[in-house]
Amino acid sequence: MAYSEKVLDHYENPRNVGSFDKNDPQVATGMVGAPACGDVMKLQLKIDEEGIIEDAKFKTYGCGSAIASSSLVTEWVKGKSIDEAAEIKNTAIAEELALPPVKIHCSILAEDAIKAAIEDYRTKHQD
Amino acid sequence: MNYFELFGLEAKFSIDLAELSATFQALQKTVHPDRFAHSSSQEQLLAVQKSAEINDAYQTLKQPISRGEYLLTLRGTELPSEQQSFQDVSFLMEQMELREMLADIEHASDVDAAIFSAQETLDIQSQNIWQKTQQLLDKNNEQDNIAASELLRKLKFYHKLQIELERIEDALFDD
């Protein structure tokens, strides 16, 4: 199956690959996996006192579409508030990357990774 | 007729794979196109359909993950949707580490030893989960069936790791 140009671009030049210290109180970590294809995705957000995402990093083991979806998401979330980031929908990711129907689950995984990271942040900052 | 019945097997997880394979060969012979060379086109079509069904059944029962899932479906356990993402954080952290272990193999000073040790790690961990899965499937009650379906989801990640390890091995020794 042919990947779209945008998928190839993110796959060949992934943005923001790496990790932050997960114990840093500013850092929120979202871990998600897709049993159907065995993909594992880690998305980390660095969030300032005002709740603005100042930086993001990802590490994904999976197909090109999963890597591209998480790479794109790290670009999109930067500068957004956590509430705005929570609004990012998998359909927007799939549309931007022109993902074929069989790869929609990769965009769902990326959306779930954002949600899981925000959930982690809220758990860390309950008080 | 379900797949187990088609193969004359009791619907349980532990099956004799040699027997499965022998039954498969025997069943396929009964619907072989040569036997229907002089039959009506309708009979030929039915034989082709039956052959496809026998094939599907064999593929499903041969692989332990699909056999387990099929067994659970027969028992009425709803399997988690394939689209639903998996969020067991500690399990996924371990998966991430195992992926890193595989990615490091090509940089190892002793590649053979690294592959051997990676295979051993995957075997020990997946066999541990398989053992639990089998026990749960043998108990066959609602709660244990649900727990077994969760473990089968985990085993899919190990299946993927195994494929990845084999791919790395092929790539390293191909050239």
Side-chain angles (χ1 to χ4, degrees):
Chain A
M1 175 190 18
Y3 282 125
S4 73
E5 262 175 54
K6 279 179 179 161
V7 170
L8 282 177
D9 179 35
H10 278 278
Y11 181 67
E12 282 162 7
N13 312 291
R15 332 290 200 257
N16 310 306
V17 174
S19 293
F20 297 126
D21 173 10
K22 68 174 165 39
N23 298 316
D24 180 340
Q26 261 196 290
V27 171
T29 304
M31 293 281 302
V32 288
C37 45
D39 291 358
V40 189
M41 188 180 284
K42 178 171 81 174
L43 174 71
Q44 290 188 302
L45 309 175
K46 199 164 199 174
I47 300 164
D48 72 10
E49 290 89 31
E50 271 84 54
I52 303 296
I53 298 163
E54 46 181 50
D55 206 356
K57 286 204 184 295
F58 84 94
K59 197 159 192 187
T60 293
Y61 287 100
C63 66
S65 303
I67 290 167
S69 296
S70 34
S71 170
L72 175 70
V73 157
T74 58
E75 284 191 321
W76 276 3
V77 295
K78 273 193 213 178
K80 283 194 164 70
S81 70
I82 49 175
D83 290 334
E84 285 165 348
E87 291 297 309
I88 294 174
K89 290 277 173 291
N90 84 282
T91 45
I93 300 165
E95 193 177 331
E96 173 68 18
L97 296 172
L99 296 182
V102 292
K103 291 291 177 184
I104 296 299
H105 68 270
C106 299
S107 64
I108 296 176
L109 203 57
E111 179 191 322
D112 288 346
I114 304 175
K115 293 204 174 108
I118 293 174
E119 181 66 29
D120 181 52
Y121 181 77
R122 295 204 163 123
T123 314
K124 270 186 174 175
H125 296 264
Q126 268 170 351
D127 35 318
Chain B
M1 193 187 280
N2 72 44
Y3 289 168
F4 288 99
E5 288 165 354
L6 185 62
F7 276 77
L9 294 165
E10 196 187 331
K12 60 183 180 62
F13 182 74
S14 307
I15 58 172
D16 182 340
L17 288 174
E19 189 190 329
L20 183 79
S21 170
T23 311
F24 172 66
Q25 308 287 349
L27 285 172
Q28 281 297 17
K29 261 186 209 148
T30 64
V31 290
H32 194 276
D34 287 353
R35 291 178 60 113
F36 295 86
H38 304 290
S39 308
S40 71
S41 58
Q42 197 193 354
E43 279 171 325
Q44 286 180 355
L45 182 67
L46 282 172
V48 169
Q49 284 172 348
K50 194 73 189 167
S51 167
E53 190 196 346
I54 293 164
N55 206 30
D56 285 345
Y58 177 62
Q59 296 303 334
T60 303
L61 297 181
K62 190 172 69 163
Q63 301 298 336
I65 294 177
S66 52
R67 187 193 324 136
E69 288 189 330
Y70 183 72
L71 187 61
L72 287 171
T73 312
L74 287 182
R75 292 173 179 177
T77 306
E78 204 176 319
L79 300 176
S81 149
E82 292 279 281
Q83 297 283 358
Q84 202 186 324
S85 68
F86 190 76
Q87 305 215 359
D88 180 333
V89 174
S90 59
F91 177 78
L92 290 169
M93 290 279 186
E94 285 165 22
Q95 284 295 306
M96 209 46 122
E97 280 166 22
L98 291 169
R99 288 287 194 138
E100 279 158 14
M101 171 187 80
L102 297 187
D104 286 343
I105 288 177
E106 57 174 325
H107 310 297
S109 53
D110 185 344
V111 171
D112 285 328
I115 290 174
F116 184 81
S117 135
Q119 185 64 65
E120 202 172 35
T121 306
L122 294 187
D123 286 348
I124 291 169
Q125 296 190 11
S126 61
Q127 276 164 17
N128 186 20
I129 304 178
W130 268 121
Q131 213 170 0
K132 288 182 197 153
T133 309
Q134 193 160 345
Q135 284 165 1
L136 292 168
L137 286 171
D138 286 345
K139 283 189 195 159
N140 187 15
N141 62 56
E142 198 182 340
Q143 213 173 352
D144 290 328
N145 283 337
I146 292 168
S149 78
E150 277 300 310
L151 292 184
L152 285 170
R153 292 186 96 195
K154 290 188 176 179
L155 286 162
K156 287 187 183 177
F157 286 95
Y158 280 96
H159 180 63
K160 182 71 184 190
L161 286 166
Q162 183 60 43
I163 293 171
E164 182 63 15
L165 178 58
E166 282 161 17
R167 192 192 61 78
I168 290 168
E169 217 175 328
D170 285 348
L172 286 170
F173 295 111
D174 253 12
D175 41 41

